[in-house]
Amino acid sequence: MKKLPALLISCACLFGTATVATPAHALMLTQGMQNEQVSQVQEQLASRGYFHVGVTGYYGQITSKAVKNFQRDHGLTADGVIGPATMKRLNPSGKVNNHSLNMLAKIIYAEARGESFRGQVAVGAVVLNRVQSNQFPNSISAVILQPGQFTAVQDGQYGMRPNQRAYDAARQALNGVDPTNGSLYYYNPKIATSSWSIARPKVISLGQHTFTN
């Protein structure tokens, strides 16, 4: 699966860190979009038994089919578009717990808490680039927890509580900001010992990290 275009970057600050009110009139999600709202909808559909794959944040054919099935079962127009009526029925409480956003913020904080904000967004972008690549698992959680991929997961730093800056960086990445130009890997050249990592074509350096493909 190739990297897909990301839209609605301006939505980056719509939600709080974990549980927020979602204004129904602000929603109109359609196939081809990638943003934080899509990841929330996927989680809501999964909790109701309509979405059976991992959360990606990308509104593709699988998400559209799940939305149509939900709409049919709830007497809505089965057009695969998330508008106010569908969102109200899908999320009657107006509250959302975005597990994928939390996971992305945790890996950003664990791997890049000493980096600039742009450098933190870059780490989040690598996770999402992997989700869209055939070389890696196809969900945010599976990419982050894939064995042997992130040092912070292996050594336990992933368990630390992320700060607000990490959540902001995670939102930027979820909403399509990618300072790495599509990179799938990164390493710290000061401490890297893997010749395989060092030999990969360099895309960009940000702070202590070199990003590669």
Side-chain angles (χ1 to χ4, degrees):
M1 181 189 327
K2 59 186 178 181
K3 182 73 171 68
L4 295 160
L7 302 176
L8 297 187
I9 294 174
S10 61
C11 296
C13 295
L14 278 175
F15 296 96
T17 59
T19 304
V20 297
T22 306
H25 66 274
L27 289 169
M28 184 61 70
L29 304 178
T30 61
Q31 192 167 331
M33 291 181 172
Q34 177 185 323
N35 57 54
E36 181 186 351
Q37 291 172 309
V38 173
S39 69
Q40 292 173 342
V41 165
Q42 289 173 336
E43 290 186 5
Q44 292 163 342
L45 289 167
S47 71
R48 289 159 176 77
Y50 289 92
F51 191 72
H52 304 290
V53 297
V55 172
T56 65
Y58 177 74
Y59 202 129
Q61 292 183 356
I62 295 175
T63 303
S64 180
K65 182 178 179 180
V67 170
K68 288 178 182 178
N69 288 338
F70 175 85
Q71 290 170 327
R72 290 190 189 99
D73 289 349
H74 291 80
L76 301 165
T77 301
D79 56 7
V81 174
I82 297 286
T86 299
M87 192 61 196
K88 183 178 180 180
R89 188 68 62 87
L90 184 63
N91 183 28
S93 69
K95 295 181 179 180
V96 175
N97 292 309
N98 195 338
H99 180 63
S100 297
L101 174 66
N102 292 338
M103 291 191 72
L104 197 59
K106 285 176 65 176
I107 196 65
I108 288 171
Y109 185 75
E111 289 272 322
R113 59 188 177 278
E115 297 297 312
S116 68
F117 183 73
R118 187 166 181 245
Q120 291 186 355
V121 175
V123 168
V126 166
V127 172
L128 297 177
N129 291 341
R130 290 187 177 192
V131 171
Q132 300 295 342
S133 168
N134 286 330
Q135 301 176 50
F136 296 92
N138 61 357
S139 73
I140 292 170
S141 60
V143 163
I144 291 173
L145 299 178
Q146 186 179 14
Q149 295 300 309
F150 292 101
T151 302
V153 173
Q154 294 176 293
D155 65 17
Q157 294 185 70
Y158 177 68
M160 294 189 298
R161 183 177 181 178
N163 59 15
Q164 184 61 49
R165 195 164 182 247
Y167 276 102
D168 292 342
R171 287 192 177 88
Q172 289 278 313
L174 270 172
N175 286 285
V177 179
D178 182 5
T180 77
N181 299 317
S183 296
L184 295 174
Y185 305 91
Y186 61 89
Y187 66 92
N188 184 336
K190 292 183 179 179
I191 60 175
T193 58
S194 169
S195 58
W196 181 87
S197 296
I198 296 171
R200 298 191 68 82
K202 174 182 171 181
V203 177
I204 191 172
S205 289
L206 293 171
Q208 300 296 314
H209 287 141
T210 296
F211 295 82
T212 70
N213 271 326

